[in-house]
């Protein structure tokens, strides 16, 4: 964190009179603010300078910085600091004399036997951060109550007895000091002297020098050099300017003086600092690390020092909750007879990672199992041109040799279980590749073709093979696309122009084979929709070259890459629990602005995360996530393709643990997860939509009525920023926001009177969650065939059925646990 000002104006939320945040503090220049600031070091070590004095804080140390005390932070190691800022103006409304109070709170000055009173501070900060993190309903009130308790403890136990506040900047000098530092901020890159500022402020040079030293705790020259250094470091990091140019650009009188100031703070030369950055970036960009950052999800436990102080008797288990409550919703529905048609778009496309995997017997058994109940219509996969499919090689003279034996086996199988292919042309056969760029543990080549003519010939020959084997009329129901996520460098390291050339040749080959064949694209990563350049470039290219796809497709993953200097690339979960719907609407708006006729929109990959080792993937959360997003986007899409059907894929090395956080609806050894049962229940909805609202959907079929309800809880703030809070194989449910139960009361009027059967089917942690049943078994690290069969028998949704008499109105009351999904099916009983 680096501040661009000397006086920090703390901006507070209207509903929350504090500023609480976590940051990695490397260099924070001298500043002050009209707030009390508490620092709690959770990891590493930092040096805090207050009024000339240096205090070294270790893990779990607590420090208070009084209002208007000039302070700065420096650290040369990775750290994590919790900062809480409380404006004096807020405290003053309840305690008028706060201006006269000074706090002394430095835990590092005391031994272990004297830490009890500091533990009160740590405990309150931990609870405050936990409540802020969870964002439960009315959490602001809870934080305010904790804040008042904290202020009381500070006043009672940490108020300093002495009345000497001379070291702080008094309000009468604040305006003068602001004028001086603002002038320095605006002119630091020029030659600056005390004489220039003294003349501007109508002060003598000796008085100004003394005033500056007393107010800032350092000399004028020290302050100017620190400011210049901060800006210079940014240029070293983010530009390729020479070190000499950077020194001159930021006001250093010579390269020698820049080196001296730089080494005093960073202990190395500017050149070595830049080399270390470049070497770190090179390590980050090694192909061997790509799948560890994009597919894996290596979380760091940096919060143990904070949350061990939570006032919970069970601080390290799955449900770290401070309060449990119930949210009640009353819903009245009147069936007027009006309804809209529901298209089961969520069953349009399913996905498997790579083409060759479909020929594995285990994957085929998983596909058959899912198709028996869910009945998808198409299947999409990568790698039909991968070398393991053996479709392309060249002879000694460079002539292409084509072989579609495995392609035929693949398509024959999927057709036998009622599926049609969504063929993504890719990746690049080795003999056709222009480089060795690759991705995944089981490598796929990602380079552009060395010969675009041979690429087109490969596409044409595949289409010809399929036409001769399956017929043109059948293939009109298939989908085709060129490449996977070409907007991401990890999948397309070459230039856009190279992709554009390959795309147009592929498009033309498909349409030349049959104009009615359906071409999709570009299968872009969802965050690209929120950016301007790539999507606009692609659409302009398609318009200019008359190659607009029949279907616009994208992949929805609510994560964003985060890059921080001196830290590994990380991915953060986005806090937006309406991400899919907002992305769809934004994309459609962009398409309307560019195209005279907007194509259908498909989501050809979709999940809460792209990571194959995110431990929440196995939990009941995934059932509620699937149901919520499917129901909220009815009539918005042509397809919503869940990624993926099975954990058994070869993008990463196979995991030995049965519940390792894989993305599939079924585990590698064939255990059905809650997500699978969500699809099974969705398949029982009727084809007419009667009512849709937050947390519920009412449909009608020729047999009767169906009411689906769910209690979705999103990731909390800290899990969203890639921090695990102790998530492990046995503890996975404490990383979600809402821990309250949801009580829903429905009054459904307009149902014809009569006798009905009512069936209730429930997915929750007790029913339909193999992971939770596995925990009850003792969480064995490996499972034999009998244990797999046991889990599939035991971990099924719960069913309750009864006969009821309805007189024009049906009352249903349901109490849902977090992540619970429930389906009520109602059908009439007819007399003989």
């Amino acid at each position: 964190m680096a501040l661009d000002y000397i006086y920090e104006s703390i901006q507070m939320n209207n509903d929350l009179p504090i500023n609480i945040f976590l940051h990695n503090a490397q260099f924070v220049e001298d500043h002050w603010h009209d707030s009390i600031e508490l620092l709690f070091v959770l990891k590493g070590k930092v040096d805090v300078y207050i009024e000339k004095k240096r205090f070294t804080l270790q893990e779990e140390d607590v420090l208070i910085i009084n209002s208007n005390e000039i302070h700065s932070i420096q650290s040369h190691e990775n750290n994590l600091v919790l900062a809480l800022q409380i404006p004096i103006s807020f405290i003053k409304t309840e305690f008028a004399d706060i201006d006269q109070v000074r706090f002394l709170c430095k835990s590092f000055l005391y031994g272990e036997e004297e830490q009890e009173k500091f533990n009160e501070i740590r405990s309150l900060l931990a609870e405050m951060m936990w409540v802020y993190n969870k964002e439960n309903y009315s959490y602001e009130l809870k934080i305010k109550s904790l804040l008042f308790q904290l202020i009381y403890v500070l006043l009672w136990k940490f108020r300093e007895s002495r009345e000497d506040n001379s070291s702080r900047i008094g309000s009468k000098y604040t305006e003068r000091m602001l004028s001086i530092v603002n002038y320095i901020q605006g002119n630091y890159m020029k030659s600056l002297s005390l004489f220039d500022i003294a003349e501007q402020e109508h002060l003598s040079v000796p008085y100004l020098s003394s005033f500056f030293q007393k107010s800032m705790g350092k000399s004028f020259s020290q302050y100017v050099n620190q400011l210049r250094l901060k800006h210079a470091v940014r240029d070293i990091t983010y530009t390729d300017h020479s070190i000499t140019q950077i020194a001159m650009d930021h006001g250093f009188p010579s390269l020698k003086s820049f080196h001296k100031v730089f080494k005093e703070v960073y202990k190395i030369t500017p050149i070595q600092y830049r080399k270390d950055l470049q070497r770190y970036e090179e390590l980050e960009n090694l192909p061997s690390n790509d799948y560890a950052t994009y597919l894996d999800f290596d979380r760091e436990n940096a919060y143990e020092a904070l949350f061990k102080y939570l006032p919970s008797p069970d601080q390290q288990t799955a449900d770290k909750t401070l309060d449990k409550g119930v949210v009640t919703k009353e819903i009245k529905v009147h069936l007027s007879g009006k309804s809209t048609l529901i298209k089961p778009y969520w069953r349009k496309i399913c996905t498997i990672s790579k083409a060759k995997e479909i020929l594995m017997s285990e994957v085929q058994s998983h596909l058959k199992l899912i198709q028996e109940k869910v009945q998808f219509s198409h299947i999409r996969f990568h790698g039909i041109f991968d070398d393991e499919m053996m479709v392309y090689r060249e002879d000694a003279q460079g002539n292409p040799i084509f072989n579609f034996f495995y392609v035929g086996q693949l398509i024959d199988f999927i057709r036998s279980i009622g599926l049609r292919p969504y063929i993504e042309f890719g990746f690049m056969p080795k003999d056709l590749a222009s480089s060795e760029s690759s991705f995944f543990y089981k490598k796929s080549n990602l380079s552009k073709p060395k010969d675009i003519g041979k690429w087109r010939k490969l596409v044409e020959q595949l289409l010809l093979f399929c036409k001769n084997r399956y017929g043109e009329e059948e293939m009109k129901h298939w989908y085709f696309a060129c490449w996977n996520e070409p907007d991401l460098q990890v999948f397309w390291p070459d230039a856009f122009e190279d992709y554009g050339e390959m795309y147009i040749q592929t498009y033309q080959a498909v349409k030349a084979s049959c104009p009615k064949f359906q071409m999709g694209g570009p299968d872009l990563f969802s965050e690209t929709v929120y950016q301007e350049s790539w999507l606009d470039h692609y659409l302009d290219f398609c318009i200019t070259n008359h190659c607009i796809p029949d279907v616009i497709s994208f992949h929805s993953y609510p994560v964003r890459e985060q890059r921080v200097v001196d830290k590994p690339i990380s991915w953060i979960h986005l806090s937006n629990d309406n991400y899919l719907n907002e992305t769809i609407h934004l994309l459609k708006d962009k398409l309307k602005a560019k195209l005279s006729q907007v194509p259908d929109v498909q989501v050809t990959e979709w999940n809460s995360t792209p990571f194959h080792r995110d431990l929440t993937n196995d939990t009941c959360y995934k059932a509620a996530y699937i149901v919520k997003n499917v129901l909220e986007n009815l009539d918005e899409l042509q397809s919503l393709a869940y990624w993926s059907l099975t954990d058994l894929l070869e993008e990463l090395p196979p995991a030995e643990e049965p519940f390792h956080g894989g993305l599939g609806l079924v585990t590698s050894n064939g255990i059905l997860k809650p997500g699978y049962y969500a699809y099974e229940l969705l398949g029982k909805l009727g084809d007419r939509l009667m009512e849709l609202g937050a947390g519920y959907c009412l449909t009608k079929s020729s047999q009767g009525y169906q009411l689906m309800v769910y209690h979705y809880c999103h990731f909390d703030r800290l899990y969203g920023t890639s921090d695990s809070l102790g998530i492990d194989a046995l503890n996975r449910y404490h990383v979600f926001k809402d821990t309250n139960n949801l009580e829903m009361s429905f009054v459904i009027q307009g149902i014809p009177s009569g006798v009905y059967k009512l069936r209730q089917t429930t997915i929750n942690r007790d029913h339909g969650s193999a992971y939770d049943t596995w925990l009850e078994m003792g969480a064995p690290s490996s499972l034999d065939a009998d244990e797999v069969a046991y889990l599939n028998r035991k971990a099924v949704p719960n069913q309750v059925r009864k006969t009821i008499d309805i007189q024009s109105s049906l009352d249903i009351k349901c109490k849902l646990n977090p992540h619970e999904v429930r389906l009520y099916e109602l059908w009439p009983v007819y007399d003989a």
Side-chain angles (χ1 to χ4, degrees), residues 454-503:
K454 290 179 179 179
W455 167 266
R456 177 160 179 164
K457 190 69 173 177
L458 173 58
V459 173
E460 291 171 343
Q461 288 298 307
L462 174 62
L463 293 168
L464 182 60
F465 168 82
C466 292
K467 283 191 354 181
N468 285 327
R469 192 178 184 101
Y470 306 104
E472 191 174 272
E473 286 304 312
E474 163 63 20
M475 291 174 65
K476 288 178 182 177
H477 300 286
W478 299 7
Y479 290 98
F480 303 93
C482 179
W483 217 252
N484 173 70
E485 295 177 359
D487 53 313
L488 295 186
Q489 187 175 14
V490 70
F491 283 111
W492 187 259
D494 296 301
F496 176 88
E497 290 71 23
D498 297 315
Y499 166 73
E501 183 180 17
M502 188 174 76
Y503 169 79

Side-chain angles (χ1 to χ4, degrees), residues 406-622:
Y406 284 137
V407 172
Q409 282 195 321
L410 184 158
I411 298 177
D412 286 351
F413 168 73
I414 64 174
R415 293 297 297 121
S416 74
I417 59 172
L419 288 168
R420 287 174 164 139
Y422 190 120
I423 294 178
E424 173 195 287
F425 296 112
F427 294 105
M428 198 60 62
K430 181 180 179 180
D431 284 2
L432 189 52
S434 59
S435 75
E436 295 183 0
S437 176
S438 63
F439 191 53
F440 302 125
Y441 178 75
K442 195 167 186 180
K443 300 298 184 185
S444 290
N445 188 286
L446 301 173
S447 67
K448 64 183 179 181
K450 66 181 182 183
D451 186 323
I452 194 64
K454 290 179 179 179
W455 167 266
R456 177 160 179 164
K457 190 69 173 177
L458 173 58
V459 173
E460 291 171 343
Q461 288 298 307
L462 174 62
L463 293 168
L464 182 60
F465 168 82
C466 292
K467 283 191 354 181
N468 285 327
R469 192 178 184 101
Y470 306 104
E472 191 174 272
E473 286 304 312
E474 163 63 20
M475 291 174 65
K476 288 178 182 177
H477 300 286
W478 299 7
Y479 290 98
F480 303 93
C482 179
W483 217 252
N484 173 70
E485 295 177 359
D487 53 313
L488 295 186
Q489 187 175 14
V490 70
F491 283 111
W492 187 259
D494 296 301
F496 176 88
E497 290 71 23
D498 297 315
Y499 166 73
E501 183 180 17
M502 188 174 76
Y503 169 79
I504 194 170
Q505 291 295 328
T506 307
Y507 178 94
Q508 290 172 354
V510 170
K511 292 302 182 179
S513 181
C514 177
K516 296 292 186 181
F517 285 175
Q518 299 180 82
M519 184 72 180
D523 289 309
L524 55 82
F525 196 78
S526 50
E527 277 300 283
T528 302
V529 177
Y530 292 84
Q531 301 163 10
E532 294 299 327
S533 56
W534 200 96
L535 180 57
D536 285 346
H537 197 180
Y538 170 78
L539 293 174
D540 290 339
F541 177 88
C542 292
I543 294 168
T544 301
N545 293 281
H546 309 290
C547 54
I548 298 170
D550 302 298
V551 174
I552 294 289
S553 56
F554 74 94
H555 301 165
S556 178
Y557 294 112
V559 297
R560 181 172 296 146
E561 186 180 272
Q562 180 173 260
R563 290 177 177 265
V564 180
V565 177
D566 290 341
K567 293 189 71 177
I569 296 172
S570 62
W571 294 79
I572 60 172
H573 284 294
L574 301 179
S575 60
N576 183 3
D577 61 5
N578 200 31
Y579 179 83
L580 175 60
N581 186 267
E582 291 185 8
T583 306
I584 293 167
H585 287 155
L586 178 59
L587 175 61
K588 287 184 174 180
D589 288 343
K590 291 193 171 189
L591 296 177
K592 288 175 185 175
K594 287 279 187 181
L595 305 175
S596 57
Q597 184 174 352
V598 176
D600 289 332
V601 174
Q602 290 182 344
V603 176
T604 47
E605 286 185 25
W606 160 71
N607 209 312
S608 62
T609 171
F611 307 117
H612 297 261
R613 299 294 184 266
D614 189 322
L615 296 179
T616 64
N617 285 330
D618 301 319
T619 67
C620 243
Y621 158 76
K622 198 48 72 76

